[in-house]
Amino acid sequence: MLTIKESLEKVITEALIEVCGIKDAKGQVIYASRPEFGDYQANGVMAVARQLRQNPRDLAAQVVDKLAGNTLVTRAEVAGPGFINIFLNTEMLAGRANACLADHTALIIPSSHPQTIVVDYSSPNLAKEMHVGHLRGTIIGDSIVRILEALGHCVIRQNHVGDWGTQFGMLIAHMNSLSNDEKALSSNLADLEGFYRAAKQRFDAEPEFADLARSYVVKLQQGDADCLAAWQRFIDESLRHCEEVYALLSIGLKRSDLRAESFYNKELPNIVKALSEKGLLSESEGAQCVFLDEFKGKDGNPLPVIIQKRDGGYLYASTDLAAIRYRSDNLGADRVLYVVDARQSLHFQQVFAVARAADFVRQSCKLEHIAYGTMMGEDGKPFKTRSGDTVKLRELLDEAVARARDLVAEKNPDLSDTEKALIASTVGIASVKYSDLSKNRTSDYVFDWSSMLSFEGNTAPYLLYAYARIQSVLRRLEEESVTPGEHVYLVQPEERALAVKILQFAELVQQLGDDCFPNQLCLYLYELSGLFMKFYESCPILKSDSETRKSRLALANLTAITLKKGLNLLGIEPLQRM
RNA sequence: GCACCCGUAGCUCAGCUGGAUAGAGUACCUGACUACGAAUCAGGUGGUCGCAUGUUCGAAUCAUGCCGGGUGCACCA
């Protein structure tokens, strides 16, 4: 099964090749830039005409002739310097819409080459509480996972949490000093942020404490039972906190998706050994390093990837190399996506390059850093609150729900309290997620409460409102015992435009599977909702005659189904009413 | 010093592999609720796409240089 766009691309490319004789000619089919130019346009003729030194309009006319009789297209015309404007066959559109109503799964066309894809995302540091900076990686990763699964790929989630390293020595030391008072310890741990701060303060202020902390790091890495028990206790507490946040955000990460840094600990000596055997390892200033020609540091000096520190300890590059090998060999990944802050792009370039050089990944396995931008404060500098702290993710979400609660109470005072609470939590959380997902992930973005918590315009409530409106209409007709039919006729321009947009959902999801930009999905859903609103304003459903009503109802229903699927791919659950 | 990212309307941002007259939201101004739900809709004001060269039939998009901002660059993750 091909999308409309793919079908057009195929037909036009074939026609173009036939006409011009150039084997690698491309139709270059895109959405028409303006409504009067049709539904799609093909731009490929002009490039070919230049090569052949022919008149592009003549060439385009020959391609247009070849389209005669094609069932997808009603009309194709040459325009401007050599564009081909394509007007889709309205009956074909209605037919496809009806097919989607009969079988909802037809809205998404699965990939023709299903792959095993490992997605590394969220990966918080367990030493501290999750703050707003963790939002992006977590929800972008979650959305990508949902999209890839919808396309029929086998997706393996990997939550590469930071549960290992020097700071845990400090935390265990602090824990042990409190452990004779079990109650105090529990309540202290409940506030992870405070706990970390207290431990850090002592680490900086008390030399004996710092020495103790360092000794615990060594003991931990050597597998000392007492240390491990304390460490496990802390990790469990910290994970519980993460899971609370995941539950609030509907993030589908489970304990079984956990592959923490500690998981790779026993593998690290083998990594060193393997690199050494490949002849990639060299000693520099006491550390075991890999030097690759393509990386230069300050003053143009060769830049190492440090595998093992002078004191024998390992760094995160070593762990990442072990993880790459595990993902390629044990998990059988065809593709590994690292949804990680853009600031780590050099790190991943290096790790990927070393992994390739050392044959830690199969040739066919693709490694991609799905980078996202840094969160900035309103002053354009990396984000901090006035007091210099981070905003806890939990606080942001609670605030969003509280604001949504006020709004529901104002808009819909008659609803029951339980219903208000459900709406408030859905709208509040969805708004926060949407405001982040709707921005291009590669650019830095400014954190500000008001835009995160806004409920008007291009926001989650707009999409949820469109969905709730449709459900409202469907409910009314249910009372009249009229079942929504599957008889879409596209008469009004608003009906047609809506149907075209719905059928383009498959094209969009396909593209998302390749480039992983969820903001494109947000934009699509916003436009879909906008087209529905226009349809809703100008094409009455309940008041029209029976046939028209059936058709419009079916179209509205199909819009709702598409919206629901799309929202689901963003990790947002729609509401029956709001 | 080197590398990567960014500079589009007052503000927040779209703009997919170069395509026709650069788009949304917000803010501001006008209109539309005895309602298929106004968390909405219709319309208006608002832009030398950082600057300059170049490639091209065509550049916000590609190349080079400059200006401005961010990030990273040896034992933290």
Side-chain angles (χ1 to χ4, degrees), chain A residues 310-330:
Chain A
R310 198 176 344 192
D311 65 7
Y314 300 99
L315 293 158
Y316 72 145
S318 346
T319 311
D320 276 336
L321 285 170
I324 285 182
R325 191 153 78 164
Y326 174 78
R327 289 163 185 183
S328 172
D329 294 354
N330 299 56

Side-chain angles (χ1 to χ4, degrees), chain A residues 111-117 147-155 335 513:
Chain A
S111 167
S112 49
H113 304 290
Q115 293 182 308
T116 297
I117 305 178
I147 289 161
L148 293 173
E149 282 184 338
L151 285 167
H153 295 294
C154 169
V155 178
R335 196 177 168 202

Side-chain angles (χ1 to χ4, degrees), chain A residues 5-171:
Chain A
K5 190 177 170 186
E6 284 175 313
S7 306
L8 289 174
E9 182 77 45
K10 186 163 176 280
V11 168
I12 291 181
T13 298
E14 281 168 7
L16 184 58
I17 290 170
E18 206 178 317
V19 167
C20 73
I22 298 174
K23 281 211 178 76
D24 57 355
K26 289 257 162 41
Q28 289 190 39
V29 174
I30 60 168
Y31 299 144
S33 54
R34 304 164 64 76
E36 59 266 36
F37 296 154
D39 300 303
Y40 289 79
Q41 64 182 61
N43 299 340
V45 175
M46 289 171 285
V48 167
R50 183 174 53 212
Q51 274 185 54
L52 297 178
R53 294 162 189 269
Q54 282 186 21
N55 181 331
R57 286 190 62 101
D58 291 347
L59 205 59
Q62 292 176 53
V63 174
V64 166
D65 286 342
K66 299 257 177 224
L67 296 179
N70 188 294
T71 52
L72 289 175
V73 180
T74 313
R75 190 155 57 94
E77 51 192 38
V78 181
F83 298 105
I84 299 174
N85 291 343
I86 300 158
F87 298 79
L88 295 174
N89 178 349
T90 304
E91 281 174 32
M92 177 278 298
L93 292 171
R96 286 204 179 212
N98 282 325
C100 289
L101 275 163
D103 174 12
H104 300 170
T105 61
L107 280 168
I108 294 177
I109 299 174
S111 167
S112 49
H113 304 290
Q115 293 182 308
T116 297
I117 305 178
V118 169
V119 185
D120 176 331
Y121 71 108
S122 191
S123 309
N125 184 342
L126 294 186
K128 291 193 201 178
E129 198 161 329
M130 287 181 84
H131 56 82
V132 287
H134 291 110
L135 184 66
R136 282 212 118 173
T138 303
I139 61 181
I140 290 173
D142 186 62
S143 179
I144 289 171
V145 161
R146 289 163 184 264
I147 289 161
L148 293 173
E149 282 184 338
L151 285 167
H153 295 294
C154 169
V155 178
I156 303 174
R157 298 162 172 78
Q158 295 281 279
N159 196 0
H160 190 81
V161 299
D163 67 343
W164 211 238
T166 43
Q167 51 202 331
F168 286 91
M170 174 181 95
L171 293 164

Side-chain angles (χ1 to χ4, degrees), chain A residues 489-528:
Chain A
Y489 301 99
L490 303 172
V491 182
Q492 298 299 321
E494 292 85 359
E495 295 173 318
R496 192 180 182 285
L498 186 56
V500 170
K501 194 76 189 179
I502 289 169
L503 296 172
Q504 286 170 345
F505 183 61
E507 297 168 0
L508 178 86
V509 176
Q510 221 169 50
Q511 181 204 318
L512 289 175
D514 294 331
D515 60 23
C516 303
F517 281 97
N519 65 306
Q520 296 287 348
L521 178 53
C522 294
L523 179 69
Y524 170 85
L525 293 174
Y526 179 66
E527 286 172 353
L528 175 66

